[in-house]
């Protein structure tokens, strides 16, 4: 294990829980997000009702998450008062926990367990959704991708806890 891995394994246990504040599903490519209060996370597939749930089982990008705090930073960098999470094409918005610190770590939201697999980098669609400079503003603030290790229901207001 490298030094960052050792540091994270020792100190991430001290992270206070975060909160799930928003859930969005996209039933098909290039369609608007459907907002829900609760959803079932299905092991090795994705969120029930989201197009990624119909994809390749075991994908490292079954669910995408972003920090509300990072959405606020991106808005500030773009000179916007706020950004509707619907525009960002991420499934889950959380607050109060550093998602980047959870990379390659296991965590729980509600009944479901996840493993953060990679950073979720912005794509050119962010320029269409948020305007010129959006990709640059989102670099390092785009959230994480995760896979689902244990199925379960997740609900807005659930804790986000490092395992």
């Amino acid at each position: 294990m490298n030094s960052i891995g050792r540091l994270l394994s020792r100190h991430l246990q001290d992270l206070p829980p975060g909160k799930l504040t928003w859930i969005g599903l996209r039933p098909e490519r290039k369609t608007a997000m459907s907002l829900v209060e609760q959803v079932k996370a299905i092991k090795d597939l994705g969120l029930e009702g989201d197009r990624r749930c119909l994809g390749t089982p075991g994908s490292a990008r079954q669910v995408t998450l972003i920090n509300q705090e990072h959405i606020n930073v991106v808005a500030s960098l773009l000179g916007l008062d706020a950004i509707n999470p619907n525009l960002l094409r991420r499934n889950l918005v959380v607050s109060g926990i550093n998602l980047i610190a959870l990379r390659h770590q296991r965590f729980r939201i509600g009944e479901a367990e996840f493993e953060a697999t990679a950073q979720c980098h912005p794509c050119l669609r962010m320029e269409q959704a948020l305007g010129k400079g959006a990709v640059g503003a989102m670099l390092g603030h785009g959230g994480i991708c995760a896979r689902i290790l244990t199925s379960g229901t997740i609900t807005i207001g659930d804790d986000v806890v490092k395992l």
Side-chain angles (χ1 to χ4, degrees), residues 10-154:
R10 274 197 314 258
H11 296 289
L12 284 182
Q13 300 304 327
D14 299 333
L15 277 177
K19 287 284 182 201
L20 177 62
T21 62
W22 186 92
I23 302 171
L25 308 173
R26 185 184 332 285
E28 297 176 14
R29 284 190 74 172
K30 298 184 181 179
T31 59
M33 301 291 284
S34 299
L35 307 182
V36 297
E37 295 286 319
Q38 184 178 75
V39 68
K40 181 165 184 173
I42 303 171
K43 179 183 176 176
D44 293 327
L45 292 176
L47 302 178
E48 189 172 58
D50 189 75
R51 73 177 190 85
R52 292 208 175 266
C53 194
L54 304 172
T56 306
S59 165
R61 191 182 171 116
Q62 296 166 11
V63 180
T64 54
L65 302 90
I66 191 167
N67 279 99
Q68 179 61 55
E69 294 85 351
H70 288 191
I71 295 173
N72 297 343
V73 168
V74 172
S76 177
L77 291 171
L78 293 173
L80 302 172
D81 291 331
I83 295 174
N84 183 336
N86 205 22
L87 298 174
L88 301 178
R89 303 174 55 234
R90 305 298 189 263
N91 297 117
L92 307 175
V93 177
V94 304
S95 65
I97 193 166
N98 184 355
L99 287 175
I100 301 303
L102 291 179
R103 188 168 174 213
H104 303 300
Q105 305 293 312
R106 294 177 63 165
F107 60 97
R108 185 181 73 248
I109 303 174
E111 300 172 347
E113 290 184 14
F114 301 83
E115 180 180 37
T117 56
Q119 285 187 302
C120 191
H121 299 292
C123 68
L124 292 178
R125 289 195 186 137
M126 293 301 99
E127 298 276 322
Q128 297 164 341
L130 303 175
K132 188 173 181 173
V135 170
M138 284 191 72
L139 285 174
H141 303 293
I144 61 171
C145 303
R147 61 185 177 160
I148 301 166
L149 303 176
T150 304
S151 297
T153 301
I154 61 174

